[in-house]
Amino acid sequence: MATKSGDNLQSLIYSNEGGPKLQVLDQLLVPKEKVYIDIPNVEAAWAVIRSMQIRGAPLIAIVACLGLAVDLASNASTVEALSGLVGDGGDADVVVAFVATKIEYLKTSRPTAVNLFNALDELSAAVLEAAAQAAGTGENSRPKIVAAVIAYAEMMLRRDVADNKAIGSHGAAALLSNPDICSEDERAEKKIRLMTICNTGSLATAGYGTALGVARALQALGKLESITALETRPYNQGSRLTAFEIMEEQMPGGTLICDSAAAAMMRIKGVDACVVGADRVCANGDTANKIGTYNLAIVAAAHGVPFYVASPFTTLDTKLASGDAITIEERPPQELLASSNAPDNMNCWNPAFDVTPAKYIAGIITEKGIITKAPGAEVFDVASFMM
């Protein structure tokens, strides 16, 4: 069931009164409509992730975890099925296997954003810990495991907003102190002209945003002169979602441009910095993000514009040495054909992401500070920063 909302725009609505309940904003309808979709089980969570009705690496992970919590605790058919499997004793191995099947299913929704896999792996560990505790005390494992899933999902929801605000603060400070953006003499009066791609604001997260959170932090300091959003073809997350958030927040100098106008904008009107989000950051700093990000990084380098990635720790993936190892999701051709008025039988290649090499990135903004390169290095040492 879908319901229309009032004026307040949130990426999701979650409550745990009488059991967990979750609704997500159908972002394919924004900004024309604000419609929230009920998520009663993992199948519904998988569907809204896969269809891109919700998107943004942090939000994908949160919806997957909250969707599992709702399924296990509030979905009558799942509760009944689990009860039938384990009876009153709550055999831990059976419950763990039941939950693990749902977790593995959620992992198949989208392949590129590492937040989903990191979160579900952490959730799996919480499930195993709860099962071990139940076994040690002789308690029924089922309620203990379900409670652990709910607790972890709700912790993710709280943590995401706090992390995003920290990213915004660190990012604003980094831009204002970068001598390539403004000299020390200019710093007191300088206001930043930002450019970004895709949507990295409240609609991509539980709230506040990552790259757009940096813009929010600058705005709060009175240091944001302008914010330019690339439309972000073919799904137009920039024109539909980021432009909407810019207008809702009344950010100064909000401007929308087509993706191919970035270079002209930098040369003619001037841009001080680009800040983008991330779906996966490798050990060397290579970053997967929305298709078109790589183009923007090259254009920024050609115009001497510092290019930053805003990424929570949950998006850092030190298991992958470089971007060559990232699996890039390819979307159905029809998604591009339908939005471009192309002939229906035209051959089409429609990757959802590209990989920006670390050499084009000035810094990686995290909730714990800025990851920078060693002097003279072209790549980052992400693992050392995380330790």
Side-chain angles (χ1 to χ4, degrees):
M1 182 181 71
T3 57
K4 293 197 175 185
S5 79
D7 292 334
N8 291 332
L9 189 65
Q10 301 169 276
S11 61
L12 60 83
I13 300 172
Y14 173 78
S15 67
N16 191 1
E17 297 179 5
K21 296 178 181 64
L22 176 65
Q23 293 183 313
V24 300
L25 178 69
D26 186 345
Q27 297 191 22
L28 295 179
L29 302 180
V30 176
K32 302 300 183 184
E33 294 184 79
K34 302 177 189 177
V35 176
Y36 285 84
I37 304 167
D38 289 331
I39 306 296
N41 50 40
V42 294
E43 289 78 16
W46 187 97
V48 295
I49 294 169
R50 184 66 178 177
S51 66
M52 292 180 64
Q53 287 171 293
I54 68 104
R55 22 68 53 208
L59 185 61
I60 287 170
I62 292 166
V63 168
C65 292
L66 287 174
L68 178 61
V70 172
D71 193 1
L72 295 175
S74 302
N75 183 27
S77 61
T78 300
V79 172
E80 182 179 357
L82 190 52
S83 298
L85 283 173
V86 303
D88 294 334
D91 182 84
D93 290 341
V94 175
V95 180
V96 168
F98 185 87
V99 175
T101 299
K102 291 180 178 289
I103 288 174
E104 290 306 310
Y105 170 69
L106 286 165
K107 286 182 178 180
T108 67
S109 56
R110 294 193 74 187
T112 301
V114 74
N115 304 56
L116 175 67
F117 299 92
N118 286 343
L120 291 175
D121 286 346
E122 289 180 9
L123 183 54
S124 296
V127 166
L128 292 173
E129 183 179 352
Q133 290 174 355
T137 61
E139 296 176 77
N140 186 325
S141 66
R142 181 178 38 145
K144 200 167 189 69
I145 289 172
V146 172
V149 171
I150 295 171
Y152 178 82
E154 291 179 350
M155 178 279 296
M156 278 196 68
L157 190 60
R158 294 190 301 271
R159 182 180 69 183
D160 187 65
V161 176
D163 288 351
N164 293 340
K165 289 182 177 179
I167 287 170
S169 178
H170 288 305
L175 267 58
L176 291 169
S177 63
N178 186 335
D180 292 329
I181 295 175
C182 60
S183 68
E184 192 168 345
D185 292 339
E186 298 172 315
R187 202 160 293 158
E189 303 298 326
K190 178 67 177 178
K191 293 186 178 183
I192 305 295
R193 298 167 295 176
L194 281 186
M195 180 175 284
T196 192
I197 190 170
C198 199
N199 174 255
T200 57
S202 294
L203 297 178
T205 63
Y208 201 76
T210 55
L212 206 57
V214 175
R216 283 191 167 93
L218 287 168
Q219 181 183 16
L221 294 170
K223 291 292 187 179
L224 181 66
E225 180 173 323
S226 64
I227 171 78
T228 298
L230 274 62
E231 63 175 342
T232 320
R233 296 274 301 131
Y235 253 84
N236 297 321
Q237 294 98 324
S239 57
R240 289 188 300 104
L241 306 178
T242 300
F244 180 79
E245 290 199 52
I246 287 170
M247 294 185 70
E248 287 282 296
E249 295 285 334
Q250 298 182 347
M251 291 185 179
T255 303
L256 176 68
I257 62 172
C258 63
D259 296 344
S260 52
M265 179 83 160
M266 290 179 187
R267 187 177 70 84
I268 297 169
K269 292 183 175 292
V271 172
D272 293 311
C274 294
V275 184
V276 303
D279 286 85
R280 191 182 296 248
V281 178
C282 297
N284 71 342
D286 289 353
T287 296
N289 194 49
K290 185 54 55 187
I291 191 72
T293 304
Y294 184 16
N295 299 44
L296 181 60
I298 292 172
V299 167
H303 291 82
V305 175
F307 186 93
Y308 287 86
V309 168
S311 166
F313 262 47
T314 52
T315 308
L316 306 179
D317 184 7
T318 56
K319 296 188 293 294
L320 297 187
S322 74
D324 293 338
I326 297 176
T327 299
I328 297 297
E329 176 187 7
E330 293 188 17
R331 301 290 298 178
Q334 188 57 34
E335 292 181 354
L336 175 55
L337 296 174
S339 66
S340 62
N341 294 319
D344 289 341
N345 60 349
M346 181 66 190
N347 185 52
C348 177
W349 181 54
N350 188 22
F353 304 94
D354 56 28
V355 177
T356 299
K359 67 180 181 180
Y360 294 116
I361 300 171
I364 301 168
I365 307 164
T366 79
E367 68 271 28
K368 297 183 180 180
I370 313 298
I371 308 177
T372 57
K373 300 170 189 169
E378 285 199 334
V379 299
F380 297 86
D381 184 354
V382 175
S384 292
F385 182 88
M386 293 181 72
M387 288 189 293

